[in-house]
Amino acid sequence: IDNCHNGISMWDITTPQQITIDSNIISGGLDARGIPSNLHGIDLYNGFTYKIPLQITRNRITDYPYGIRLMNVWVNNSFVVAGNEINFNFSEDQLGGQVYRGIFMSNCQGAKVASNIILWNSGLIIPADINAHAYDVQGLRMEHVQSSDIKDNTVTTCGTGMYMQNDCSGTYTTCNN
């Protein structure tokens, strides 16, 4: 999937059957200034209260402001985001006023997020600039993510490796690099 506004987008899913998004190569486009011009590599938004068994595994996502964005997903023990590789290849000068998130989850419950690699390949040339991009480029961002297991993920050269906000009770973060 190359240079699409959203690589894979799913909204208001009502099926109780397993949904698997596996082994896709999703590449975003850059505008004339080298700034990512698309939105989401993988986007799942659920406005209903259905519990969706979901697996997002082994995908390679490049140059989307949001690599994987998950909102309102509630499933215990069958909500897996694992083995994905998310790369940002633009330079620090090409941020373009946009925010970038490797994996963004909001209002989710029961997730297992493991062994993902998030890398800003050409970011933070000057180590002192880390604070300048603490909000702009975040590896994993979680808002209202409860009863989840976040482990063995690797985040490199981002302004913030992992950011958690609001009620994240029962969520464990272990062995992340």
Side-chain angles (χ1 to χ4, degrees), residues 101 103-105 134-135 137-145 160-166 168:
R101 310 288 184 248
I103 298 172
F104 173 82
M105 299 184 342
Y135 180 79
V137 183
Q138 297 175 347
L140 293 113
R141 183 179 175 112
M142 295 162 278
E143 302 171 356
H144 296 289
V145 174
T160 299
M162 185 182 305
Y163 180 90
M164 299 173 77
Q165 180 178 347
N166 300 323
C168 292

Side-chain angles (χ1 to χ4, degrees), residues 8-101:
I8 297 172
S9 185
M10 302 177 83
W11 281 62
D12 294 336
I13 305 301
T14 59
T15 180
Q17 302 301 314
Q18 174 77 42
I19 294 174
T20 301
I21 301 171
D22 181 63
S23 300
N24 297 285
I25 298 172
I26 305 168
S27 301
L30 303 176
D31 68 14
R33 299 168 292 161
I35 297 169
S37 58
N38 303 114
L39 194 53
H40 306 108
I42 296 173
D43 180 32
L44 192 140
Y45 174 85
N46 194 22
F48 302 117
T49 57
Y50 295 105
K51 294 187 175 191
I52 306 164
L54 175 67
Q55 289 194 18
I56 299 174
T57 53
R58 301 180 302 189
N59 297 287
R60 191 170 71 212
I61 302 166
T62 304
D63 288 337
Y64 274 89
Y66 287 79
I68 298 172
R69 185 183 85 140
L70 304 168
M71 297 183 72
N72 304 327
V73 180
W74 311 279
V75 181
N76 291 323
N77 300 320
S78 53
F79 174 9
V80 177
V81 179
N84 298 288
E85 182 179 323
I86 300 167
N87 292 291
F88 301 123
N89 290 320
F90 49 87
S91 74
E92 196 171 355
D93 295 334
Q94 296 168 317
L95 285 171
Q98 174 69 279
V99 295
Y100 300 89
R101 310 288 184 248

Side-chain angles (χ1 to χ4, degrees), residues 124-171:
L124 300 176
I125 298 164
I126 303 168
D129 288 345
I130 288 174
N131 288 334
H133 301 299
Y135 180 79
D136 298 341
V137 183
Q138 297 175 347
L140 293 113
R141 183 179 175 112
M142 295 162 278
E143 302 171 356
H144 296 289
V145 174
Q146 300 173 342
S147 303
S148 295
D149 188 12
I150 316 299
K151 66 179 183 179
D152 297 321
N153 297 288
T154 301
V155 180
T156 305
T157 331
C158 291
T160 299
M162 185 182 305
Y163 180 90
M164 299 173 77
Q165 180 178 347
N166 300 323
D167 185 2
C168 292
S169 59
T171 294

